[in-house]
C-alpha cells in the first residue's frame, strides 16, 4: 500500500481526534514533542524563579516555604517530565522506526498508551498543587517526605504513573529493534542513536519498576504508616535512599545515553565523515548501561552507609568513566580530516562535547570518596549534574530538534536565529553553572533558600546567566514555531545524511517508506 | 573568564576555605591534582576538537573526507590511560577516606543533637550548648550524632568534614583542628523550610580556655530572662520572631496575656502554663493558621531553669 504523492503522516488525516487516537509512531512523537516542550517551559519558569530568589541574600521574591516548592517542582518536572521522556519518547519515537527501516514500532497501541501514562501521571503530579504543592525536593528523601503535610502524595503518585510510560516505551523499543529491522540492517549496521536508545530501553525496563515500588512504599508510608522507612516506627530512612538511587542513578543514563546517540548522528552528518570507532561507541553504550546498575551508592558516601560500601561504589563509578571517555575521544577523532559545517545542530553537538567534558571530569572528582565528602550536597554537585543534564542532554535535544525539523515537518528552519540561540544558551549556560562549581568548593550547600554574604557575588552572576539561557531558549522556540508555520519547503535530504530516515520523503508518508528499504552497508558511509 | 577561574582555582586554596586540619590539607592536595588533571584533559579534548573543527572546516559542498573506521592502538590508549588515572585517584581518595573514617582512641567525645532547625551539643560531663560548638585546639574530637526528626547533615567546610545525621541511629564524625578560630557549621541535607538557616558556629580555643568553659555554669550571674534570651536565640529564633510577625510559627511580640485562637476556633489565655505546654507538648494545642507537627518538642532538651527562663523572656516581649 503506497500513499499518493503529497500525502504524508501530517495531512493524511485531520482533526484533534485523529491525533489523540493515532497509532502512528510519528504522530505520537509529535504529541510527545508538544507535551515535553510545554513541561520544559514550566520547569524552566521555575528555574528562572529560583535564580531570581537567589539573586541576592535574604528574601527577594518569595518566602522559604515557597522557594522549596519551586526547587521541588523544577527538579521533578525536569527529570520526570522533560529529560527522561525527552529523547527516547519524543525523538526516539519519531526516528527509531525510520532509522531501522521499519513501518512503525512493534506495539503501536502500547506506544499510544505510554503517552497517555505520561499525561495522566503529569496531571496527577500537578494535582498536588491543590494540596499546597510539595516541598521534598525531587528526591523525596524520608523521613521528611513522610512527615511533610501537603500534596507530596500526589506528586509521588504522578511520578509512579509516569514510570509506566517509561517502561512501556522501553519495552516497545527493545522488541522493535530486535524484530523490525529492515532486511540487511544487522545490529552493527544500526545508527548509533539506535544503540543509545536500545541501551536506554534496557535500563528503562529493568530499573523503573524499582522506582515504582519505592514510590508505592512511600505512598503507603504516608497514608497507612506501614513503618518501613519511618524511624519512629522502627523503619530505616536510609533504605529509601538505596531504593531511590538504585533507579535514579541508571536514570541518569536514561537521560544521557540516547543524547550521546544524537551526538554521534550530528557529528557524522555535519562533518560528512564516518564515525571513528563505531563498535567501541556501540559497546560502550551497553557497557555504561550495565555498570550503571552498580554505582548508586556514590550518592550516599556520607549517608551513614558502611565505609566498605563507599569504597566499592567509588571503584565501580570509576569504571563508568572509561566508556564515557571512549565516546568523547571517538567523537573528537571523527572530526579529524572531516568536512565540518558549523550549522546550528553541529554547534550544539560541539557545545555538547565542550560541556559534557567538564561535566565528566567533575564527575570523576565526585567519585573520589575523600573529595566527595566535601562536595556532597553542595553547589558543586548542582553544577556537575547541570553540566551533564543540561549541557549534555538538553544541548543534544535542541541540536537534534534542529537537525530533524526538516524531516518532521518538511520545512526548513531559520539557520541564523538558530545559531544565535546557540550562542545565548552556550554562554548563558557557562555563566550560570561555572560559578556554581566555585560556590560548591567554597562550601555553599544546595537547596538553600538563603546564603551567607560571602556567596552573594557569584550567585548574582549565576542568576544573570540563567536569564540568558532563558532568552536563548525563547529564541529556540521561535525557530521551531517559525519553521512549522513559515518554513520553506525542505528537500528529502537537506544535509546529505546517510541514515535511512533521510532516504524517504520529508515529511514521511504514514508507512514511512513507499518501498521497503534494503540495507547494504554501515550507517555512515561517507566516502 | 573560565580561564581566569581555572587559574585561580589551581592556586593555594583552590577556592575552598583555608584547610584547618591535616586531613583537609590532604584533601586539598588530591583536589589540586584532580583539578590539574581535569584541566589538562579539558584542554586536550576541547582544544582538540576546536582545532579540528577549524582546520577541517567545510570548504565546498563536495568535499571528500577520509574514511577512517577505527584504530585499535589509539582506542586502547585512550581507554587505558584514563583507566590508570581513575584508578590512581580512586586509591588516593580511598586512603584519605579511610583516615576520615578511622576514629582515634583518645578522641574527646561530644554528642550532637540535630533538630529542625538547630544544632545542640552535649559534653561528657553534662555541659550543654546550642548553636555553638566549643572545642580545644589540637585535640581529636569525635562527634556522636543523632536527629530527633528528619535527616540533617553536619558539615564544616574548613575541615572538609561532613556526615549525615539520621533519626533513630547514631552516626559519627571526627576531626582534629590545627588552629584556633571560628568556623562555620552548615546543614547540608535538606530538612524543610528553614534548612538554609540551620547554621552554627564551631569555636576552637586553647585547652585552658576550654577546660574553664567546660567546668563553669554557663548561666552564672544571669537573670532569668537573660538565660531565656540565650535559649531563644539558639533554639527558637529560626521559627519565631520577637515582634508579632509570622515566621514559621507565630511571633512572640505581645503574646503573653493575649487571647490566642486555636485550630477549631477554641480560645485560650496565654499564661505561663500555656507557654510551658506549647514548649513541652507543642501538638496539644495548635494555633489557628499553622500546621501541626511543625514545632518540635523541647521536653528533655531544656532544663527546668531554661524553660522558666524562656517563658520569662517571652513575657518581656511586648
Ligand atoms: Cu549516580
Ligand atoms: Cu538541613
Amino acid at each position: 500500500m503506497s500513499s499518493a504523492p503529497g500525502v504524508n503522516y501530517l495531512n493524511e488525516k485531520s482533526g484533534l481526534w485523529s491525533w489523540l487516537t493515532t497509532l502512528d509512531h510519528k504522530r505520537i512523537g509529535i504529541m510527545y514533542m508538544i507535551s515535553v516542550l510545554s513541561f520544559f517551559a514550566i520547569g524552566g519558569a521555575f528555574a528562572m524563579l529560583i535564580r531570581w530568589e537567589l539573586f541576592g541574600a535574604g528574601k527577594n521574591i518569595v518566602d522559604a516555604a515557597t522557594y522549596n516548592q519551586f526547587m521541588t517542582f523544577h527538579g521533578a518536572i525536569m527529570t520526570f517530565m522533560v529529560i527522561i521522556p525527552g529523547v527516547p519518547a519524543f525523538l526516539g519515537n519519531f526516528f527509531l522506526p525510520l532509522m531501522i527501516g521499519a513501518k512503525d514500532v512493534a506495539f503501536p497501541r502500547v506506544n499510544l498508551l505510554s503517552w497517555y501514562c505520561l499525561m495522566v501521571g503529569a496531571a496527577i503530579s500537578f494535582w498536588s498543587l491543590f494540596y499546597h504543592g510539595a516541598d521534598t525536593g525531587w528526591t523525596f528523601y524520608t523521613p521528611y517526605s513522610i512527615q511533610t503535610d501537603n500534596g507530596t502524595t500526589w506528586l509521588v503518585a504522578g511520578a509512579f504513573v509516569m514510570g509506566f510510560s517509561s517502561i512501556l516505551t522501553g519495552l516497545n523499543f527493545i522488541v522493535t529493534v530486535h524484530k523490525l529491522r529492515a532486511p540487511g540492517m544487522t545490529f552493527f549496521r544500526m545508527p548509533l542513536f539506535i544503540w543509545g536508545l536500545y541501551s536506554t530501553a534496557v535500563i528503562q525496563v529493568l530499573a523503573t519498576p524499582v522506582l515504582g515500588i519505592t514510590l508505592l512504599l512511600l505512598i503507603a508510608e504516608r497514608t497507612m504508616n506501614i513503618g518501613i522507612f519511618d524511624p519512629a516506627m522502627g523503619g530505616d530512612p536510609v533504605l529509601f535512599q538505596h531504593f531511590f538511587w538504585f533507579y535514579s542513578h541508571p536514570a541518569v543514563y536514561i537521560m544521557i545515553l540516547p543524547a550521546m546517540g544524537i551526538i554521534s548522528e550530528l557529528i557524522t552528518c555535519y562533518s560528512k565523515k564516518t564515525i571513528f570507532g563505531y563498535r567501541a561507541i556501540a559497546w560502550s553504550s551497553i557497557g555504561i548501561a550495565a555498570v550503571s546498575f552498580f554505582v548508586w551508592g556514590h550518592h550516599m558516601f556520607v549517608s551513614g552507609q558502611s565505609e566498605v560500601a563507599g569504597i566499592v561504589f567509588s571503584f565501580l563509578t570509576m569504571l563508568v568513566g572509561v566508556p564515557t571517555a571512549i565516546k568523547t575521544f571517538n567523537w573528537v577523532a571523527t572530526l579529524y580530516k572531516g568536512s565540518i559545517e558549523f550549522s546550528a545542530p553541529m554547534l550544539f553537538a560541539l557545545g555538547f562535547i565542550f560541556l559534557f567534558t567538564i561535566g565528566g571530569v567533575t564527575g570523576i572528582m565526585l567519585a573520589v570518596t575523600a573529595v566527595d565528602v566535601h562536595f556532597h550536597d553542595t553547589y558543586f554537585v548542582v553544577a556537575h549534574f547541570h553540566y551533564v543534564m543540561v549541557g549534555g542532554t538538553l544541548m543534544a535535544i535542541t541540536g537534534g530538534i534542529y537537525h530533524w525539523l526538516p524531516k518532521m515537518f518538511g520545512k526548513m528552519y531559520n539557520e541564523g536565529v538558530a545559531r544565535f540561540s546557540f550562542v545565548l544558551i552556550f554562554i548563558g549556560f557557562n555563566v550560570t553553572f561555572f560559578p556554581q562549581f566555585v560556590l560548591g568548593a567554597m562550601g555553599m550547600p544546595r537547596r538553600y533558600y538563603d546564603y551567607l554574604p560571602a556567596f552573594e557575588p557569584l550567585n548574582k552572576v549565576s542568576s544573570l546567566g540563567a536569564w540568558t539561557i532563558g532568552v536563548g531558549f525563547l529564541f529556540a522556540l521561535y525557530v521551531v514555531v517559525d519553521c512549522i508555520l513559515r518554513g520553506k519547503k525542505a528537500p528529502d535530504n537537506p544535509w546529505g545524511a546517510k541514515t535511512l530516515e533521510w532516504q524517504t520523503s520529508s515529511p514521511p508518508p504514514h508507512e514511512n517508506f513507499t518501498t521497503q528499504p534494503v540495507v547494504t552497508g554501515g550507517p555512515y558511509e561517507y566516502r | 573568564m573560565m580561564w581566569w577561574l581555572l587559574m585561580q582555582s589551581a592556586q593555594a586554596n583552590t577556592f575552598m576555605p583555608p584547610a584547618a586540619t591535616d586531613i583537609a590539607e590532604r584533601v586539598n592536595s588530591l583536589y589540586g591534582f584532580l583539578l590539574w588533571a581535569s584541566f589538562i584533559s579539558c584542554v586536550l579534548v576541547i582544544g582538540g576538537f576546536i582545532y579540528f573543527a577549524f582546520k577541517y572546516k567545510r570548504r565546498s559542498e563536495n568535499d571528500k573526507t577520509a574514511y577512517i573506521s577505527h584504530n585499535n592502538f589509539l582506542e586502547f590508549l585512550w581507554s587505558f590511560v584514563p583507566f590508570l588515572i581513575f584508578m590512581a585517584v580512586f586509591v588516593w581518595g580511598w586512603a584519605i577516606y579511610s583516615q576520615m573514617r578511622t576514629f582515634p582512641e583518645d578522641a574527646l567525645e561530644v554528642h550532637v543533637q540535630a533538630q529542625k532547625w538547630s544544632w545542640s551539643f552535649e559534653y561528657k560531663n553534662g555541659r550543654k550548648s546550642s548553636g555553638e560548638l566549643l572545642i580545644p585546639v589540637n585535640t581529636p574530637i569525635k562527634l556522636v550524632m543523632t536527629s530527633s526528626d528528619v535527616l540533617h547533615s553536619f558539615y564544616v567546610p574548613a575541615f572538609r568534614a561532613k556526615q549525615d545525621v539520621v533519626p533513630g541511629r547514631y552516626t559519627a564524625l571526627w576531626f582534629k583542628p590545627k588552629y584556633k578560630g571560628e568556623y562555620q557549621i552548615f546543614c547540608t541535607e535538606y530538612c524543610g523550610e528553614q534548612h538554609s538557616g540551620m547554621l552554627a558556629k564551631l569555636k576552637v580555643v586553647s585547652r585552658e580556655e576550654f577546660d574553664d568553659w567546660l567546668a563553669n555554669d554557663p548561666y552564672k550571674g544571669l537573670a532569668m530572662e537573660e538565660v531565656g534570651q540565650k535559649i531563644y536565640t539558639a533554639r527558637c529564633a529560626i521559627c519565631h520572631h520577637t515582634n508579632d510577625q509570622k515566621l514559621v510559627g507565630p511571633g512572640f511580640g505581645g503574646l503573653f496575656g493575649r487571647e490566642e485562637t486555636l485550630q477549631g476556633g477554641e480560645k485560650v489565655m496565654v499564661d505561663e502554663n500555656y507557654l510551658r505546654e506549647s514548649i513541652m507538648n507543642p501538638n496539644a494545642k495548635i494555633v489557628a493558621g499553622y500546621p501541626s507537627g511543625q514545632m518540635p518538642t523541647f521536653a528533655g532538651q531544656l532544663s527546668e531553669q531554661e524553660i522558666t527562663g524562656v517563658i520569662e523572656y517571652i513575657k518581656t516581649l511586648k
Side-chain angles (χ1 to χ4, degrees):
Chain A
M1 187 187 91
S2 69
S3 339
V7 174
N8 58 53
Y9 81 99
L10 286 169
N11 60 16
E12 165 211 43
K13 289 191 190 118
S14 62
L16 185 63
W17 190 245
S18 78
W19 281 87
L20 292 177
T21 56
T22 184
L23 299 181
D24 184 333
H25 70 98
K26 299 181 288 304
R27 284 187 158 214
I28 296 174
I30 298 297
M31 297 205 294
Y32 268 115
M33 174 176 178
I34 296 168
S35 337
V36 168
L37 292 185
S38 317
F39 296 145
F40 179 64
I42 301 173
F46 279 116
M48 298 298 117
L49 291 170
I50 289 175
R51 287 312 323 172
W52 189 359
E53 176 49 49
L54 293 178
F55 186 68
K59 176 178 168 171
N60 291 277
I61 44 170
V62 292
D63 58 16
T66 316
Y67 172 83
N68 291 338
Q69 304 245 343
F70 286 177
M71 68 93 181
T72 301
F73 279 93
H74 168 70
I77 292 173
M78 288 303 199
T79 31
F80 296 119
M81 304 184 202
V82 179
I83 306 195
I84 289 180
V87 197
F90 156 35
L91 288 171
N93 234 313
F94 201 106
F95 289 104
L96 180 126
L98 279 164
M99 289 171 92
I100 61 173
K103 286 182 181 157
D104 207 311
V105 292
F107 309 115
R109 283 192 178 75
V110 173
N111 201 14
L112 182 64
L113 177 63
S114 75
W115 181 78
Y116 278 103
C117 284
L118 180 74
M119 296 316 279
V120 171
I124 297 176
S125 296
F126 286 120
W127 192 250
S128 66
L129 290 171
F130 295 107
Y131 297 85
H132 310 292
D135 68 338
T136 57
W138 79 280
T139 47
F140 308 123
Y141 270 17
T142 53
Y144 185 77
S145 56
I146 303 172
Q147 295 169 11
T148 183
D149 178 26
N150 52 32
T152 300
T153 307
W154 291 101
L155 185 60
V156 171
F160 173 75
V161 175
M162 287 187 276
F164 283 94
S165 165
S166 196
I167 296 173
L168 295 178
T169 304
L171 195 72
N172 222 334
F173 284 6
I174 292 179
V175 178
T176 310
V177 167
H178 276 280
K179 290 290 172 199
L180 299 185
R181 277 167 292 130
M185 172 74 78
T186 60
F187 257 76
F188 285 103
R189 282 177 182 170
M190 292 194 311
L192 288 163
F193 183 40
I194 306 301
W195 275 97
L197 286 170
Y198 181 77
S199 328
T200 304
V202 174
I203 305 180
Q204 286 176 303
V205 170
L206 292 181
T208 317
V210 179
L211 177 75
I213 294 163
T214 312
L215 297 181
L216 268 191
L217 284 173
L218 179 56
I219 293 173
E221 188 78 296
R222 276 180 68 85
T223 53
M224 298 181 282
N225 301 315
I226 56 172
I228 178 168
F229 301 131
D230 189 353
M233 304 175 68
D236 182 359
V238 180
L239 182 65
F240 177 86
Q241 298 175 30
H242 282 287
F243 284 176
F244 181 81
W245 289 112
F246 184 83
Y247 164 77
S248 294
H249 187 81
V252 169
Y253 295 102
I254 296 182
M255 310 182 209
I256 198 70
L257 277 173
M260 291 168 154
I262 296 180
I263 298 307
S264 300
E265 303 302 322
L266 299 183
I267 295 272
T268 48
C269 173
Y270 296 99
S271 58
K272 283 200 175 177
K273 194 156 167 291
T274 195
I275 192 87
F276 184 92
Y278 174 91
R279 276 175 190 256
I281 297 185
W283 280 115
S284 67
S285 297
I286 301 289
I288 291 175
V291 183
S292 76
F293 281 98
F294 305 100
V295 300
W296 77 88
H298 64 208
H299 298 267
M300 301 172 58
F301 287 150
V302 302
S303 69
Q305 84 182 356
S306 76
E307 186 197 329
V308 180
I311 291 161
V312 172
F313 281 121
S314 168
F315 172 76
L316 291 168
T317 305
M318 293 296 174
L319 296 186
V320 194
V322 177
T324 313
I326 293 178
K327 280 179 189 270
T328 312
F329 287 123
N330 283 9
W331 290 322
V332 175
T334 302
L335 297 175
Y336 174 71
K337 291 202 170 163
S339 161
I340 291 149
E341 188 190 357
F342 292 102
S343 59
M346 186 61 158
L347 289 176
F348 277 93
L350 297 177
F352 173 102
I353 302 183
F354 186 105
L355 302 175
F356 189 75
T357 306
I358 297 178
V361 294
T362 51
I364 294 297
M365 292 190 194
L366 290 172
V368 177
T369 36
V371 177
D372 182 70
V373 169
H374 179 68
F375 285 142
H376 179 77
D377 265 341
T378 66
Y379 263 84
F380 195 92
V381 176
V382 176
H384 158 70
F385 72 72
H386 280 89
Y387 262 83
V388 181
M389 301 283 81
V390 184
T393 310
L394 271 180
M395 297 295 273
I397 297 184
T398 317
I401 292 180
Y402 288 155
H403 174 66
W404 281 307
L405 267 178
K407 184 53 65 182
M408 290 191 281
F409 298 101
K411 308 246 181 86
M412 298 302 282
Y413 64 87
N414 185 325
E415 183 66 43
V417 184
R419 284 185 199 173
F420 184 62
S421 74
F422 168 79
V423 173
L424 285 183
I425 294 171
F426 182 78
I427 294 178
F429 181 85
N430 286 295
V431 175
T432 310
F433 292 105
F434 205 85
Q436 295 187 3
F437 282 125
V438 181
L439 283 170
M442 289 164 78
M444 177 172 166
R446 64 190 284 205
R447 294 176 169 173
Y448 261 30
Y449 162 71
D450 195 6
Y451 44 75
L452 301 182
F455 300 138
E456 188 158 4
L458 286 174
N459 268 294
K460 282 214 153 45
V461 175
S462 185
S463 293
L464 293 176
W467 298 327
T468 315
I469 306 181
V471 176
F473 274 113
L474 287 181
F475 275 99
L477 182 69
Y478 168 82
V479 174
V480 173
V481 174
D482 173 71
C483 163
I484 297 172
L485 297 182
R486 288 197 296 264
K488 282 207 299 286
K489 179 149 182 29
D492 290 351
N493 190 358
W495 321 127
K498 301 288 180 189
T499 38
L500 281 183
E501 80 273 28
W502 299 103
Q503 316 312 325
T504 181
S505 52
S506 299
H510 171 59
E511 300 204 316
N512 292 347
F513 300 92
T514 36
T515 49
Q516 172 69 59
V518 176
V519 181
T520 53
Y524 311 113
E525 292 296 306
Y526 298 92
R527 295 204 188 235
Chain B
M1 180 194 74
M2 292 193 15
W3 174 259
W4 177 82
L5 281 175
L6 272 169
M7 290 319 290
Q8 289 289 307
S9 13
Q11 278 160 21
N13 289 315
T14 55
F15 273 116
M16 290 182 176
T21 61
D22 282 332
I23 287 193
E25 281 168 11
R26 275 169 232 154
V27 171
N28 268 21
S29 335
L30 173 50
Y31 174 58
F33 174 81
L34 281 165
L35 265 189
W36 276 110
S38 305
F39 182 67
I40 294 168
S41 326
C42 285
V43 168
L44 283 177
V45 174
I46 296 172
F49 88 68
I50 292 180
Y51 173 76
F52 286 162
F54 283 102
K55 175 127 192 256
Y56 303 108
K57 196 167 174 315
R58 185 165 300 178
R59 305 247 135 63
S60 84
E61 279 312 306
N62 12 355
D63 275 358
K64 276 272 163 266
T65 59
Y67 191 88
I68 310 169
S69 70
H70 64 288
N71 178 322
N72 288 339
F73 174 70
L74 269 182
E75 289 179 76
F76 170 76
L77 204 65
W78 65 48
S79 321
F80 194 65
V81 171
F83 176 74
L84 287 184
I85 301 177
F86 295 167
M87 284 305 109
V89 292
F90 158 67
V91 172
W92 190 346
W94 175 4
I96 303 176
Y97 182 64
S98 298
Q99 293 170 342
M100 290 175 167
R101 302 308 307 168
T102 311
F103 293 85
E105 301 275 303
D106 57 340
L108 179 108
E109 269 183 34
V110 183
H111 276 261
V112 178
Q113 168 92 29
Q115 175 170 333
K116 279 185 200 166
W117 288 286
S118 62
W119 298 99
S120 325
F121 310 98
E122 185 169 3
Y123 297 78
K124 278 284 166 68
N125 72 348
R127 175 77 154 89
K128 289 185 182 179
S129 71
S130 273
E132 186 181 285
L133 173 60
L134 199 98
I135 49 172
V137 71
N138 275 323
T139 313
I141 311 289
K142 178 176 178 184
L143 302 182
V144 181
M145 311 188 287
T146 191
S147 158
S148 53
D149 41 41
V150 297
L151 298 175
H152 300 277
S153 192
F154 186 93
Y155 175 38
V156 187
F159 300 166
R160 316 286 184 264
K162 181 181 293 140
Q163 176 63 49
D164 281 8
V165 183
V166 184
R169 71 157 89 154
Y170 293 105
T171 54
L173 182 69
W174 83 274
F175 43 78
K176 185 177 168 189
K178 291 172 79 170
Y179 314 104
K180 287 191 278 187
E182 202 178 84
Y183 302 94
Q184 184 67 48
I185 299 169
F186 291 103
C187 174
T188 41
E189 186 60 79
Y190 177 70
C191 55
E193 194 172 325
Q194 297 294 330
H195 166 54
S196 64
M198 190 165 161
L199 308 171
K201 286 274 181 245
L202 191 151
K203 267 206 186 122
V204 182
V205 297
S206 68
R207 188 78 216 193
E208 299 74 56
E209 200 178 324
F210 174 75
D211 287 340
D212 239 30
W213 177 87
L214 196 62
N216 274 338
D217 174 6
Y219 302 132
K220 203 164 74 190
L222 291 186
M224 273 171 137
E225 62 190 66
E226 287 168 327
V227 172
Q229 183 172 20
K230 281 188 176 249
I231 297 298
Y232 165 79
T233 315
R235 307 302 300 273
C236 325
I238 194 84
C239 295
H240 295 283
H241 279 315
T242 50
N243 55 22
D244 60 359
Q245 295 295 304
K246 171 177 179 169
L247 189 55
V248 177
F252 286 159
L255 177 63
F256 189 78
R258 191 178 71 195
E259 197 163 73
E260 185 67 282
T261 316
L262 301 180
Q263 231 171 49
E266 193 194 333
K267 291 201 189 313
V268 291
M269 221 9 230
V270 179
D271 56 10
E272 285 90 347
N273 278 321
Y274 172 76
L275 289 181
R276 191 183 171 90
E277 186 187 42
S278 297
I279 298 169
M280 307 303 277
N281 187 9
N283 288 334
K285 300 197 175 74
I286 302 294
V287 184
Y290 292 88
S292 74
Q294 184 70 283
M295 161 132 180
T297 170
F298 288 88
Q301 297 198 26
L302 298 181
S303 67
E304 212 42 55
Q305 182 193 12
E306 291 167 330
I307 297 168
T308 326
V310 95
I311 293 176
E312 285 308 314
Y313 175 67
I314 293 176
K315 283 163 75 174
T316 66
L317 299 170
K318 288 292 170 302

